[in-house]
Amino acid sequence: MRRSVLFFISYFIFSLVEAQVKLPSFFSDNMVLQQQTECNIWGTADKGKSVVVITSWDKKSYSAMVDENGEFLVKVKTPKAGGPYDITFAIATPSKPNSASSGMGYDRTLHNVMIGEVWICSGQSNMEMLMKGYKAQPVEGAAEELIACKDAGLRLFYGKRAARLEPQKDIAGTWQEANAASVREFSATAYFFGKALRKSLGVPVGLICTVFGGSACEAWMNADWLKAFPKVNLDITEEKVKKLQQRCPTALYNGQLAPLVGYGIRGAIWYQGEDNVPRYDFYAPLMARMVQGWREEWQQGDFPFYYCQIAPFAYDETDWALYNSALLREQQAMVETMVPNCRMAVLLDTGLKYVIHPRKKRIAGERLALLALSNTYDVKGLPDFAKYKDVEFKSDTAVVAFDRSKEWVYFEHDTGERADRLLASDNFEVAGADQVFHPATKVWVSRNRVYVISNKVKKPVAVRYAWRDWVVGDLMHDGLPVSSFRTDDWEPAKNTASQKTGDYNNPK
Protein backbone atom coordinates (compact mmCIF):
# COMPACT_ATOMS: atom_id res chain seq x y z
CA MET A 1 0.00 0.00 0.00
CA ARG A 2 2.78 2.40 0.94
CA ARG A 3 4.60 1.64 -2.30
CA SER A 4 1.44 2.40 -4.29
CA VAL A 5 1.01 5.75 -2.52
CA LEU A 6 4.63 6.70 -3.18
CA PHE A 7 4.23 5.74 -6.83
CA PHE A 8 1.09 7.88 -7.15
CA ILE A 9 2.78 10.87 -5.50
CA SER A 10 5.82 10.52 -7.76
CA TYR A 11 3.62 10.22 -10.84
CA PHE A 12 1.55 13.24 -9.75
CA ILE A 13 4.66 15.42 -9.28
CA PHE A 14 6.11 14.21 -12.59
CA SER A 15 2.83 15.10 -14.35
CA LEU A 16 2.86 18.61 -12.90
CA VAL A 17 6.39 19.22 -14.17
CA GLU A 18 5.66 17.77 -17.57
CA ALA A 19 2.47 19.78 -18.00
CA GLN A 20 3.91 23.11 -16.85
CA VAL A 21 2.90 26.21 -18.81
CA LYS A 22 5.93 28.34 -19.62
CA LEU A 23 5.57 31.96 -20.69
CA PRO A 24 7.96 34.55 -22.14
CA SER A 25 9.26 37.01 -19.55
CA PHE A 26 6.93 39.80 -20.68
CA PHE A 27 3.84 37.78 -19.74
CA SER A 28 4.19 38.08 -16.00
CA ASP A 29 2.94 39.72 -12.83
CA ASN A 30 2.51 43.52 -13.12
CA MET A 31 2.16 43.53 -16.91
CA VAL A 32 -0.17 45.77 -18.91
CA LEU A 33 -2.38 44.52 -21.73
CA GLN A 34 -3.75 46.82 -24.42
CA GLN A 35 -7.33 47.80 -23.67
CA GLN A 36 -10.40 46.98 -25.78
CA THR A 37 -8.79 44.61 -28.21
CA GLU A 38 -7.87 40.97 -28.71
CA CYS A 39 -4.46 40.45 -27.13
CA ASN A 40 -2.19 37.58 -28.06
CA ILE A 41 -0.82 35.50 -25.21
CA TRP A 42 1.54 32.67 -26.03
CA GLY A 43 3.93 30.22 -24.45
CA THR A 44 4.94 26.57 -24.36
CA ALA A 45 3.68 23.34 -22.81
CA ASP A 46 3.60 19.63 -23.66
CA LYS A 47 2.58 19.08 -27.26
CA GLY A 48 -0.87 17.60 -27.65
CA LYS A 49 -2.12 19.16 -24.43
CA SER A 50 -4.80 21.83 -24.22
CA VAL A 51 -3.99 25.08 -22.43
CA VAL A 52 -6.82 26.99 -20.77
CA VAL A 53 -6.54 30.70 -19.98
CA ILE A 54 -9.04 32.36 -17.63
CA THR A 55 -9.26 36.14 -17.32
CA SER A 56 -10.60 37.52 -14.04
CA TRP A 57 -12.10 40.69 -15.54
CA ASP A 58 -14.86 38.73 -17.30
CA LYS A 59 -14.41 35.16 -15.95
CA LYS A 60 -14.12 33.90 -19.51
CA SER A 61 -11.92 30.99 -20.49
CA TYR A 62 -9.96 30.58 -23.70
CA SER A 63 -8.35 27.32 -24.81
CA ALA A 64 -5.74 26.34 -27.36
CA MET A 65 -4.05 23.11 -28.34
CA VAL A 66 -0.28 22.91 -27.96
CA ASP A 67 1.20 22.26 -31.41
CA GLU A 68 3.94 19.89 -32.50
CA ASN A 69 6.59 22.44 -31.53
CA GLY A 70 5.23 22.65 -27.99
CA GLU A 71 3.79 26.13 -28.57
CA PHE A 72 0.35 27.63 -28.00
CA LEU A 73 -1.33 30.98 -28.62
CA VAL A 74 -4.64 32.37 -27.40
CA LYS A 75 -6.38 35.66 -28.08
CA VAL A 76 -8.09 37.19 -25.05
CA LYS A 77 -10.57 40.04 -25.21
CA THR A 78 -9.66 42.98 -23.01
CA PRO A 79 -12.11 45.49 -21.51
CA LYS A 80 -11.76 49.22 -20.95
CA ALA A 81 -8.75 50.32 -18.95
CA GLY A 82 -8.67 49.15 -15.36
CA GLY A 83 -7.30 46.60 -12.94
CA PRO A 84 -5.62 44.98 -11.20
CA TYR A 85 -6.69 41.59 -12.54
CA ASP A 86 -5.49 37.99 -12.59
CA ILE A 87 -4.88 35.64 -15.52
CA THR A 88 -4.84 31.91 -14.80
CA PHE A 89 -3.29 29.20 -16.99
CA ALA A 90 -3.99 25.48 -16.73
CA ILE A 91 -3.55 22.23 -18.58
CA ALA A 92 -7.00 20.80 -19.29
CA THR A 93 -7.83 17.12 -18.76
CA PRO A 94 -9.66 15.11 -21.43
CA SER A 95 -12.67 14.79 -19.15
CA LYS A 96 -12.80 18.51 -18.46
CA PRO A 97 -11.39 20.20 -21.55
CA ASN A 98 -12.39 23.69 -20.41
CA SER A 99 -11.51 23.31 -16.77
CA ALA A 100 -8.87 25.48 -15.12
CA SER A 101 -8.66 23.16 -12.14
CA SER A 102 -7.66 19.54 -12.55
CA GLY A 103 -6.02 16.92 -10.40
CA MET A 104 -3.58 16.18 -13.19
CA GLY A 105 -3.12 19.80 -14.37
CA TYR A 106 -0.71 22.56 -13.53
CA ASP A 107 -2.13 25.98 -12.63
CA ARG A 108 -0.25 29.24 -12.97
CA THR A 109 -1.68 32.67 -12.19
CA LEU A 110 -0.41 36.09 -13.15
CA HIS A 111 -1.31 38.73 -10.61
CA ASN A 112 -1.63 42.52 -10.60
CA VAL A 113 -2.30 42.71 -14.35
CA MET A 114 -3.51 46.08 -15.64
CA ILE A 115 -5.48 46.94 -18.77
CA GLY A 116 -4.50 50.19 -20.45
CA GLU A 117 -2.27 51.68 -23.15
CA VAL A 118 0.90 49.84 -24.23
CA TRP A 119 3.80 51.34 -26.20
CA ILE A 120 7.05 49.88 -27.54
CA CYS A 121 10.02 52.20 -26.89
CA SER A 122 13.13 51.55 -28.98
CA GLY A 123 16.31 53.04 -30.42
CA GLN A 124 19.91 53.71 -29.43
CA SER A 125 21.62 55.44 -26.52
CA ASN A 126 19.40 58.52 -26.26
CA MET A 127 16.36 56.28 -25.80
CA GLU A 128 18.42 53.90 -23.67
CA MET A 129 19.72 56.67 -21.37
CA LEU A 130 18.42 55.80 -17.92
CA MET A 131 16.96 58.30 -15.50
CA LYS A 132 20.18 57.99 -13.49
CA GLY A 133 22.08 59.17 -16.57
CA TYR A 134 25.47 58.09 -17.85
CA LYS A 135 28.79 58.79 -16.15
CA ALA A 136 29.17 62.58 -15.87
CA GLN A 137 26.10 62.88 -18.13
CA PRO A 138 23.01 63.46 -15.96
CA VAL A 139 19.36 63.70 -16.90
CA GLU A 140 18.07 67.16 -16.12
CA GLY A 141 15.64 67.14 -13.18
CA ALA A 142 16.19 63.45 -12.40
CA ALA A 143 16.45 63.87 -8.63
CA GLU A 144 13.23 65.85 -8.39
CA GLU A 145 11.45 63.36 -10.64
CA LEU A 146 12.54 60.33 -8.63
CA ILE A 147 11.10 61.88 -5.46
CA ALA A 148 7.60 61.96 -6.95
CA CYS A 149 7.57 59.21 -9.59
CA LYS A 150 5.74 56.48 -7.64
CA ASP A 151 2.72 55.39 -9.67
CA ALA A 152 1.14 51.94 -9.61
CA GLY A 153 -0.65 52.79 -12.88
CA LEU A 154 2.60 53.19 -14.83
CA ARG A 155 4.32 49.86 -15.56
CA LEU A 156 7.81 49.45 -16.99
CA PHE A 157 9.42 46.53 -18.82
CA TYR A 158 13.10 46.92 -19.68
CA GLY A 159 14.43 44.25 -22.05
CA LYS A 160 18.01 43.08 -21.69
CA ARG A 161 20.45 43.72 -24.54
CA ALA A 162 20.72 40.74 -26.89
CA ALA A 163 22.35 40.72 -30.34
CA ARG A 164 21.65 37.41 -32.04
CA LEU A 165 22.16 35.67 -35.38
CA GLU A 166 18.71 34.02 -35.38
CA PRO A 167 15.28 35.25 -34.19
CA GLN A 168 14.69 34.52 -30.51
CA LYS A 169 11.55 33.50 -28.60
CA ASP A 170 12.14 35.52 -25.43
CA ILE A 171 13.95 38.55 -24.06
CA ALA A 172 15.06 38.84 -20.45
CA GLY A 173 13.27 41.44 -18.37
CA THR A 174 10.59 42.02 -15.74
CA TRP A 175 7.52 44.23 -15.39
CA GLN A 176 7.72 46.71 -12.52
CA GLU A 177 5.51 49.43 -11.12
CA ALA A 178 6.96 52.92 -11.39
CA ASN A 179 8.86 53.94 -8.27
CA ALA A 180 12.20 55.55 -7.52
CA ALA A 181 14.13 52.27 -7.87
CA SER A 182 12.52 51.13 -11.14
CA VAL A 183 12.38 54.55 -12.80
CA ARG A 184 16.04 55.22 -11.98
CA GLU A 185 16.95 52.16 -14.07
CA PHE A 186 14.53 52.90 -16.91
CA SER A 187 14.73 54.99 -20.09
CA ALA A 188 14.24 58.64 -19.13
CA THR A 189 12.72 59.59 -22.50
CA ALA A 190 10.28 56.67 -22.40
CA TYR A 191 9.38 57.37 -18.76
CA PHE A 192 8.53 61.03 -19.42
CA PHE A 193 6.47 59.93 -22.44
CA GLY A 194 4.53 57.43 -20.34
CA LYS A 195 4.07 59.84 -17.45
CA ALA A 196 2.56 62.44 -19.79
CA LEU A 197 0.12 59.87 -21.21
CA ARG A 198 -0.85 58.79 -17.69
CA LYS A 199 -1.56 62.34 -16.61
CA SER A 200 -3.53 63.26 -19.73
CA LEU A 201 -5.48 60.03 -20.29
CA GLY A 202 -5.93 58.85 -16.70
CA VAL A 203 -5.51 55.17 -17.61
CA PRO A 204 -2.79 52.59 -16.87
CA VAL A 205 0.18 52.81 -19.22
CA GLY A 206 2.68 50.05 -20.01
CA LEU A 207 6.05 50.79 -21.59
CA ILE A 208 8.13 48.02 -23.17
CA CYS A 209 11.67 49.31 -23.66
CA THR A 210 13.95 47.44 -26.06
CA VAL A 211 17.09 49.48 -26.77
CA PHE A 212 20.82 49.23 -27.40
CA GLY A 213 23.23 52.19 -27.25
CA GLY A 214 25.10 52.89 -30.48
CA SER A 215 22.75 50.73 -32.52
CA ALA A 216 22.27 51.10 -36.25
CA CYS A 217 18.85 51.29 -37.84
CA GLU A 218 19.88 48.27 -39.92
CA ALA A 219 20.25 46.20 -36.75
CA TRP A 220 16.52 46.54 -36.01
CA MET A 221 15.46 45.11 -39.38
CA ASN A 222 15.29 41.59 -40.75
CA ALA A 223 17.23 40.42 -43.77
CA ASP A 224 14.27 40.40 -46.16
CA TRP A 225 13.60 44.10 -45.58
CA LEU A 226 17.28 44.95 -46.05
CA LYS A 227 17.55 43.29 -49.47
CA ALA A 228 16.30 46.54 -50.99
CA PHE A 229 19.47 48.33 -49.82
CA PRO A 230 22.55 47.17 -51.74
CA LYS A 231 24.88 49.18 -49.49
CA VAL A 232 24.02 46.87 -46.59
CA ASN A 233 26.13 43.72 -46.55
CA LEU A 234 23.93 40.79 -45.56
CA ASP A 235 26.74 38.27 -45.35
CA ILE A 236 26.15 37.91 -41.62
CA THR A 237 27.85 35.29 -39.46
CA GLU A 238 27.96 34.47 -35.78
CA GLU A 239 31.43 36.04 -35.64
CA LYS A 240 30.12 39.33 -37.06
CA VAL A 241 27.21 39.38 -34.63
CA LYS A 242 29.56 38.88 -31.69
CA LYS A 243 32.02 41.51 -32.86
CA LEU A 244 29.65 44.16 -34.17
CA GLN A 245 26.75 43.56 -31.76
CA GLN A 246 24.38 46.53 -32.08
CA ARG A 247 25.82 47.62 -35.43
CA CYS A 248 25.35 44.26 -37.13
CA PRO A 249 22.37 44.20 -39.52
CA THR A 250 19.44 42.10 -38.20
CA ALA A 251 21.14 41.36 -34.85
CA LEU A 252 18.79 43.40 -32.65
CA TYR A 253 15.73 42.51 -34.65
CA ASN A 254 16.57 38.89 -33.93
CA GLY A 255 17.49 39.28 -30.27
CA GLN A 256 15.32 42.11 -28.99
CA LEU A 257 12.40 42.74 -31.34
CA ALA A 258 11.34 39.36 -32.70
CA PRO A 259 10.44 38.03 -29.22
CA LEU A 260 8.00 40.92 -28.70
CA VAL A 261 6.28 40.79 -32.08
CA GLY A 262 2.56 40.20 -31.58
CA TYR A 263 2.29 41.65 -28.08
CA GLY A 264 -0.77 43.90 -28.09
CA ILE A 265 0.33 47.54 -28.38
CA ARG A 266 -1.09 50.94 -29.20
CA GLY A 267 2.06 52.11 -30.99
CA ALA A 268 5.80 52.70 -30.88
CA ILE A 269 8.24 55.51 -30.11
CA TRP A 270 11.75 55.64 -31.53
CA TYR A 271 14.90 57.68 -30.83
CA GLN A 272 17.78 56.65 -33.12
CA GLY A 273 19.90 58.05 -35.92
CA GLU A 274 23.25 59.14 -34.53
CA ASP A 275 24.93 55.92 -35.68
CA ASN A 276 23.58 56.41 -39.20
CA VAL A 277 25.05 59.90 -39.71
CA PRO A 278 27.87 58.52 -41.91
CA ARG A 279 25.23 56.62 -43.95
CA TYR A 280 22.71 59.44 -44.09
CA ASP A 281 22.11 59.16 -47.83
CA PHE A 282 19.59 56.29 -47.62
CA TYR A 283 18.30 56.70 -44.08
CA ALA A 284 14.79 57.91 -45.03
CA PRO A 285 13.86 54.86 -47.16
CA LEU A 286 15.68 52.62 -44.69
CA MET A 287 13.70 53.81 -41.68
CA ALA A 288 10.48 53.87 -43.69
CA ARG A 289 11.03 50.21 -44.56
CA MET A 290 11.75 49.40 -40.93
CA VAL A 291 8.44 50.93 -39.81
CA GLN A 292 6.60 49.12 -42.59
CA GLY A 293 8.26 45.85 -41.57
CA TRP A 294 7.37 46.21 -37.91
CA ARG A 295 3.76 46.85 -38.87
CA GLU A 296 3.65 43.87 -41.22
CA GLU A 297 4.85 41.55 -38.50
CA TRP A 298 2.66 42.95 -35.72
CA GLN A 299 -0.45 42.65 -37.92
CA GLN A 300 -2.14 45.54 -36.13
CA GLY A 301 -2.46 47.78 -39.16
CA ASP A 302 -0.63 51.10 -39.44
CA PHE A 303 -0.15 51.55 -35.72
CA PRO A 304 1.21 54.98 -34.63
CA PHE A 305 4.95 55.47 -34.90
CA TYR A 306 6.48 58.60 -33.35
CA TYR A 307 10.17 59.38 -33.33
CA CYS A 308 12.72 61.95 -32.20
CA GLN A 309 14.91 63.84 -34.64
CA ILE A 310 18.50 63.69 -33.41
CA ALA A 311 19.59 66.74 -31.45
CA PRO A 312 22.49 68.98 -32.56
CA PHE A 313 26.01 67.92 -31.54
CA ALA A 314 29.51 68.92 -32.67
CA TYR A 315 30.11 65.94 -34.94
CA ASP A 316 32.48 68.21 -36.88
CA GLU A 317 34.91 68.08 -33.95
CA THR A 318 34.90 64.26 -33.73
CA ASP A 319 36.01 61.38 -35.96
CA TRP A 320 32.91 62.08 -38.05
CA ALA A 321 34.15 65.53 -39.06
CA LEU A 322 33.54 64.77 -42.74
CA TYR A 323 29.79 64.57 -42.25
CA ASN A 324 27.12 67.17 -41.68
CA SER A 325 24.47 65.71 -39.40
CA ALA A 326 21.94 68.16 -40.84
CA LEU A 327 21.78 65.76 -43.79
CA LEU A 328 20.66 62.98 -41.45
CA ARG A 329 18.12 65.30 -39.80
CA GLU A 330 16.81 66.09 -43.30
CA GLN A 331 16.39 62.38 -43.99
CA GLN A 332 14.53 61.95 -40.71
CA ALA A 333 12.17 64.78 -41.60
CA MET A 334 11.40 63.04 -44.89
CA VAL A 335 10.20 59.87 -43.17
CA GLU A 336 6.95 61.35 -41.89
CA THR A 337 6.05 62.27 -45.49
CA MET A 338 6.74 58.71 -46.64
CA VAL A 339 4.98 56.72 -43.92
CA PRO A 340 1.33 57.08 -42.82
CA ASN A 341 0.53 57.66 -39.15
CA CYS A 342 4.14 58.61 -38.47
CA ARG A 343 5.34 61.90 -36.98
CA MET A 344 8.63 63.44 -35.83
CA ALA A 345 9.42 65.33 -32.63
CA VAL A 346 11.98 68.07 -33.33
CA LEU A 347 14.77 68.53 -30.74
CA LEU A 348 16.78 71.29 -32.45
CA ASP A 349 16.78 73.41 -29.29
CA THR A 350 17.87 70.72 -26.80
CA GLY A 351 21.38 69.62 -27.78
CA LEU A 352 24.75 69.82 -26.04
CA LYS A 353 27.73 70.86 -28.12
CA TYR A 354 30.23 68.34 -26.79
CA VAL A 355 27.92 65.66 -25.38
CA ILE A 356 25.88 63.49 -27.72
CA HIS A 357 23.36 62.67 -24.99
CA PRO A 358 21.23 65.76 -24.25
CA ARG A 359 20.13 66.18 -20.64
CA LYS A 360 16.66 67.43 -21.52
CA LYS A 361 14.99 64.03 -21.71
CA ARG A 362 11.77 65.42 -20.25
CA ILE A 363 11.43 67.58 -23.37
CA ALA A 364 12.08 64.60 -25.66
CA GLY A 365 9.52 62.41 -23.89
CA GLU A 366 6.88 65.10 -23.64
CA ARG A 367 7.23 66.10 -27.29
CA LEU A 368 6.67 62.48 -28.26
CA ALA A 369 3.65 62.51 -25.96
CA LEU A 370 2.33 65.65 -27.68
CA LEU A 371 2.34 63.78 -30.98
CA ALA A 372 0.62 60.74 -29.48
CA LEU A 373 -2.01 62.73 -27.60
CA SER A 374 -2.83 64.89 -30.64
CA ASN A 375 -2.76 62.26 -33.35
CA THR A 376 -3.61 58.98 -31.62
CA TYR A 377 -5.81 60.06 -28.74
CA ASP A 378 -7.38 63.12 -30.43
CA VAL A 379 -6.70 65.48 -27.53
CA LYS A 380 -7.63 68.96 -28.70
CA GLY A 381 -5.77 72.22 -28.14
CA LEU A 382 -2.19 70.93 -28.21
CA PRO A 383 0.59 72.66 -30.19
CA ASP A 384 2.13 71.23 -33.34
CA PHE A 385 5.50 71.35 -35.08
CA ALA A 386 5.55 73.79 -37.99
CA LYS A 387 7.63 72.69 -40.97
CA TYR A 388 9.21 74.26 -44.03
CA LYS A 389 6.80 74.51 -46.98
CA ASP A 390 8.40 76.53 -49.79
CA VAL A 391 10.39 79.64 -50.68
CA GLU A 392 9.81 82.59 -52.99
CA PHE A 393 12.59 84.93 -54.11
CA LYS A 394 11.78 88.61 -54.50
CA SER A 395 14.77 90.62 -55.68
CA ASP A 396 17.38 90.28 -52.88
CA THR A 397 14.93 88.73 -50.40
CA ALA A 398 14.06 85.10 -49.77
CA VAL A 399 10.54 84.63 -48.38
CA VAL A 400 10.20 81.27 -46.60
CA ALA A 401 6.73 79.83 -45.86
CA PHE A 402 5.68 77.11 -43.41
CA ASP A 403 2.98 74.49 -43.01
CA ARG A 404 1.22 73.60 -39.74
CA SER A 405 1.83 77.18 -38.61
CA LYS A 406 -1.59 78.62 -37.73
CA GLU A 407 -0.12 80.30 -34.63
CA TRP A 408 2.62 81.87 -36.80
CA VAL A 409 6.36 81.38 -36.41
CA TYR A 410 8.71 83.49 -34.32
CA PHE A 411 12.27 83.59 -33.04
CA GLU A 412 12.99 82.56 -29.48
CA HIS A 413 15.12 85.65 -28.80
CA ASP A 414 13.36 88.11 -31.11
CA THR A 415 13.83 91.60 -29.68
CA GLY A 416 10.69 92.93 -31.34
CA GLU A 417 12.65 95.70 -33.08
CA ARG A 418 11.71 97.06 -36.48
CA ALA A 419 12.42 94.82 -39.45
CA ASP A 420 14.90 97.23 -41.04
CA ARG A 421 17.11 97.05 -37.94
CA LEU A 422 16.57 93.41 -37.09
CA LEU A 423 18.77 90.33 -37.33
CA ALA A 424 16.46 88.00 -35.44
CA SER A 425 18.59 84.87 -36.00
CA ASP A 426 22.12 84.02 -37.11
CA ASN A 427 21.10 80.52 -38.21
CA PHE A 428 20.17 81.45 -41.79
CA GLU A 429 22.41 81.35 -44.88
CA VAL A 430 21.75 82.49 -48.44
CA ALA A 431 23.35 81.45 -51.74
CA GLY A 432 23.22 82.65 -55.29
CA ALA A 433 23.71 80.71 -58.51
CA ASP A 434 27.35 80.07 -57.57
CA GLN A 435 26.11 77.82 -54.72
CA VAL A 436 28.28 79.63 -52.20
CA PHE A 437 26.45 80.31 -48.93
CA HIS A 438 26.82 83.50 -46.94
CA PRO A 439 25.40 84.36 -43.52
CA ALA A 440 22.15 86.30 -43.55
CA THR A 441 22.54 89.93 -42.53
CA LYS A 442 18.86 90.58 -42.03
CA VAL A 443 16.16 88.15 -40.88
CA TRP A 444 12.64 88.95 -39.73
CA VAL A 445 9.21 87.37 -39.40
CA SER A 446 5.77 88.34 -40.58
CA ARG A 447 3.05 85.86 -39.59
CA ASN A 448 4.13 82.47 -40.96
CA ARG A 449 6.78 83.87 -43.28
CA VAL A 450 10.48 84.41 -42.61
CA TYR A 451 12.26 87.06 -44.70
CA VAL A 452 15.98 86.55 -45.29
CA ILE A 453 18.61 88.84 -46.84
CA SER A 454 22.37 88.66 -47.18
CA ASN A 455 24.20 91.79 -48.32
CA LYS A 456 26.63 89.53 -50.19
CA VAL A 457 23.96 87.85 -52.33
CA LYS A 458 22.07 90.16 -54.66
CA LYS A 459 20.05 87.43 -56.36
CA PRO A 460 19.45 84.56 -53.91
CA VAL A 461 18.39 81.14 -55.19
CA ALA A 462 18.69 79.06 -52.01
CA VAL A 463 18.26 79.40 -48.24
CA ARG A 464 19.37 77.15 -45.40
CA TYR A 465 18.39 77.23 -41.74
CA ALA A 466 20.46 75.67 -38.94
CA TRP A 467 22.32 73.67 -41.58
CA ARG A 468 25.27 72.53 -39.47
CA ASP A 469 26.14 69.97 -36.83
CA TRP A 470 26.06 72.15 -33.75
CA VAL A 471 23.31 74.73 -33.57
CA VAL A 472 20.76 76.04 -31.11
CA GLY A 473 17.47 76.15 -32.95
CA ASP A 474 15.67 79.46 -32.44
CA LEU A 475 12.87 79.41 -35.03
CA MET A 476 9.74 78.41 -33.13
CA HIS A 477 6.02 77.82 -33.48
CA ASP A 478 3.69 77.64 -30.52
CA GLY A 479 6.57 76.82 -28.18
CA LEU A 480 8.04 74.12 -30.40
CA PRO A 481 11.14 74.32 -32.62
CA VAL A 482 11.14 74.14 -36.41
CA SER A 483 13.48 71.57 -37.93
CA SER A 484 16.64 72.56 -39.75
CA PHE A 485 15.94 72.74 -43.49
CA ARG A 486 17.28 73.78 -46.87
CA THR A 487 15.47 74.95 -49.99
CA ASP A 488 18.04 73.45 -52.38
CA ASP A 489 18.90 69.86 -53.25
CA TRP A 490 22.55 70.39 -54.12
CA GLU A 491 24.94 67.56 -53.53
CA PRO A 492 27.25 67.95 -50.52
CA ALA A 493 30.79 69.06 -51.29
CA LYS A 494 32.86 66.21 -52.68
CA ASN A 495 35.25 64.64 -50.19
CA THR A 496 36.24 61.21 -48.91
CA ALA A 497 33.13 60.94 -46.73
CA SER A 498 31.57 58.45 -49.11
CA GLN A 499 34.40 56.08 -48.26
CA LYS A 500 34.16 56.63 -44.53
CA THR A 501 31.19 54.42 -43.73
CA GLY A 502 33.39 52.43 -41.37
CA ASP A 503 32.36 49.35 -43.36
CA TYR A 504 30.46 48.63 -40.20
CA ASN A 505 29.37 45.12 -41.12
CA ASN A 506 32.67 43.95 -42.55
CA PRO A 507 35.06 43.74 -39.59
CA LYS A 508 38.63 42.87 -40.38
Side-chain angles (χ1 to χ4, degrees):
M1 179 68 179
R2 183 181 178 186
R3 181 175 298 177
S4 298
V5 171
L6 290 174
F7 174 80
F8 176 79
I9 293 173
S10 298
Y11 178 78
F12 178 73
I13 294 173
F14 177 76
S15 297
L16 291 181
V17 173
E18 284 295 294
Q20 183 177 2
V21 173
K22 296 181 180 178
L23 302 170
S25 62
F26 39 85
F27 293 125
S28 65
D29 293 350
N30 307 316
M31 72 177 179
V32 182
L33 294 180
Q34 179 61 40
Q35 66 171 323
Q36 297 180 288
T37 188
E38 285 192 337
C39 287
N40 297 319
I41 297 179
W42 63 89
T44 61
D46 286 353
K47 62 181 181 180
K49 299 286 186 179
S50 177
V51 174
V52 177
V53 179
I54 298 180
T55 51
S56 72
W57 54 83
D58 56 9
K59 309 301 181 185
K60 289 185 178 180
S61 64
Y62 306 82
S63 62
M65 292 298 298
V66 183
D67 66 19
E68 288 299 312
N69 297 316
E71 300 174 345
F72 71 89
L73 181 148
V74 297
K75 292 180 177 290
V76 302
K77 292 183 178 180
T78 56
K80 290 183 179 180
Y85 299 109
D86 292 338
I87 301 178
T88 298
F89 298 79
I91 300 296
T93 64
S95 59
K96 298 180 179 180
N98 293 314
S99 173
S101 178
S102 168
M104 294 298 292
Y106 176 89
D107 290 352
R108 175 177 182 177
T109 300
L110 305 183
H111 302 289
N112 197 26
V113 175
M114 304 298 284
I115 308 296
E117 293 297 297
V118 181
W119 288 79
I120 294 286
C121 314
S122 189
Q124 61 179 111
S125 57
N126 271 305
M127 181 65 85
E128 184 179 50
M129 190 175 187
L130 306 177
M131 186 65 79
K132 68 180 181 182
Y134 296 128
K135 292 181 179 179
Q137 297 179 46
V139 170
E140 187 176 277
E144 296 84 353
E145 192 60 41
L146 291 173
I147 290 173
C149 68
K150 188 174 182 179
D151 182 0
L154 180 58
R155 306 294 177 86
L156 315 173
F157 180 91
Y158 199 91
K160 187 177 180 180
R161 289 177 168 187
R164 297 291 184 268
L165 181 63
E166 299 293 339
Q168 302 298 296
K169 300 288 187 180
D170 199 0
I171 179 173
T174 57
W175 280 100
Q176 300 182 73
E177 296 182 1
N179 54 50
S182 61
V183 171
R184 179 177 171 81
E185 301 294 332
F186 194 75
S187 161
T189 296
Y191 165 78
F192 284 119
F193 169 80
K195 179 186 176 183
L197 295 191
R198 277 280 294 144
K199 189 169 184 178
S200 181
L201 302 175
V203 301
V205 171
L207 304 175
I208 299 175
C209 196
T210 177
V211 291
F212 203 131
S215 58
C217 183
E218 297 90 332
W220 296 97
M221 302 171 66
N222 75 26
D224 285 341
W225 311 340
L226 288 169
K227 289 177 181 177
F229 304 95
K231 292 184 179 181
V232 179
N233 188 335
L234 292 176
D235 180 20
I236 304 166
T237 64
E238 188 69 48
E239 177 188 0
K240 288 182 179 180
V241 171
K242 289 180 179 179
K243 184 169 184 176
L244 295 171
Q245 293 282 303
Q246 73 274 30
R247 291 186 171 89
C248 183
T250 77
L252 301 185
Y253 166 85
N254 292 331
Q256 295 184 217
L257 193 74
L260 297 166
V261 168
Y263 192 103
I265 61 172
R266 175 64 70 189
I269 59 172
W270 173 257
Y271 192 164
Q272 189 277 339
E274 295 88 350
D275 186 77
N276 285 79
V277 167
R279 305 182 300 284
Y280 72 86
D281 56 315
F282 63 101
Y283 187 82
L286 184 74
M287 182 179 162
R289 185 63 185 93
M290 184 197 77
V291 176
Q292 179 189 351
W294 286 23
R295 289 172 171 174
E296 290 169 353
E297 299 221 345
W298 245 274
Q299 297 183 13
Q300 290 187 204
D302 290 342
F303 61 74
F305 194 100
Y306 304 120
Y307 62 100
C308 286
Q309 188 181 53
I310 61 171
F313 167 70
Y315 292 90
D316 53 351
E317 298 185 32
T318 70
D319 290 341
W320 287 356
L322 293 171
Y323 309 102
N324 182 352
S325 57
L327 291 161
L328 191 282
R329 296 197 299 265
E330 178 182 55
Q331 291 279 312
Q332 289 181 305
M334 292 168 58
V335 174
E336 66 177 6
T337 69
M338 301 167 65
V339 181
N341 206 12
C342 183
R343 287 290 307 275
M344 181 181 74
V346 180
L347 301 179
L348 202 66
D349 57 338
T350 67
L352 288 174
K353 186 172 185 179
Y354 298 116
V355 179
I356 203 169
H357 304 119
R359 297 172 181 171
K360 299 180 184 296
K361 291 297 185 280
R362 179 188 297 273
I363 291 178
E366 291 182 349
R367 286 181 181 170
L368 289 168
L370 276 176
L371 294 173
L373 291 169
S374 295
N375 298 280
T376 299
Y377 299 107
D378 199 29
V379 176
K380 304 299 183 184
L382 297 176
D384 199 0
F385 295 92
K387 68 172 186 176
Y388 165 72
K389 179 183 179 182
D390 56 38
V391 63
E392 183 180 1
F393 297 100
K394 297 181 178 180
S395 185
D396 64 345
T397 305
V399 184
V400 185
F402 300 86
D403 277 332
R404 302 196 302 242
S405 54
K406 63 180 181 180
E407 303 298 335
W408 306 347
V409 296
Y410 64 93
F411 289 104
E412 184 68 17
H413 305 294
D414 193 337
T415 64
E417 297 177 9
R418 288 165 45 108
D420 60 357
R421 301 200 306 267
L422 182 64
L423 177 60
S425 171
D426 60 2
N427 287 328
F428 280 85
E429 301 171 281
V430 183
D434 61 359
Q435 299 188 10
V436 176
F437 280 89
H438 301 274
T441 53
K442 188 179 292 186
V443 178
W444 71 95
V445 168
S446 177
R447 299 191 177 188
N448 70 341
R449 300 288 192 275
V450 174
Y451 295 78
V452 186
I453 293 175
S454 173
N455 57 18
K456 293 186 177 180
V457 183
K458 300 303 181 184
K459 292 185 178 180
V461 299
V463 178
R464 292 179 175 181
Y465 165 69
W467 200 255
R468 52 185 182 269
D469 286 312
W470 168 244
V471 65
V472 179
D474 56 4
L475 180 58
M476 312 291 286
H477 170 257
D478 211 5
L480 301 175
V482 177
S483 171
S484 51
F485 64 84
R486 58 174 174 162
T487 68
D488 64 276
D489 59 358
W490 300 333
E491 287 296 319
K494 298 296 182 182
N495 52 37
T496 58
S498 61
Q499 304 301 317
K500 193 179 177 182
T501 63
D503 207 8
Y504 70 104
N505 57 351
N506 275 307
K508 294 181 180 180

